Amino acid sequence: MSTWRKSSYSPVNDCVEVGRGVGIRDSKAPTTHLPVSDKAWSAFLTEVKTGR
């Protein structure tokens, strides 16, 4: 079981959540998730931070 985290910028019930080592999910459909590796997530965050 993973601890899911929401962005502090997201409204209460309308966001994407991240589970370390598990993936991402929509808070409106918490029973399903998209698996994402730590490496892929780090690469995604790097791209977002650099504005690509």
Side-chain angles (χ1 to χ4, degrees):
M1 183 87 166
S2 178
T3 301
W4 293 92
R5 298 181 62 198
K6 296 179 187 180
S7 169
S8 60
Y9 293 99
S10 296
V12 175
N13 294 320
D14 189 23
C15 66
V16 172
E17 299 173 319
V18 178
R20 183 168 176 82
V22 178
I24 57 176
R25 71 181 183 182
D26 184 338
S27 61
K28 294 180 206 169
T31 59
T32 60
H33 71 277
L34 176 65
V36 179
S37 69
D38 288 342
K39 184 177 179 181
W41 185 249
S42 292
F44 171 75
L45 292 178
T46 298
E47 293 295 314
V48 169
K49 289 177 184 178
T50 59
R52 294 184 191 176

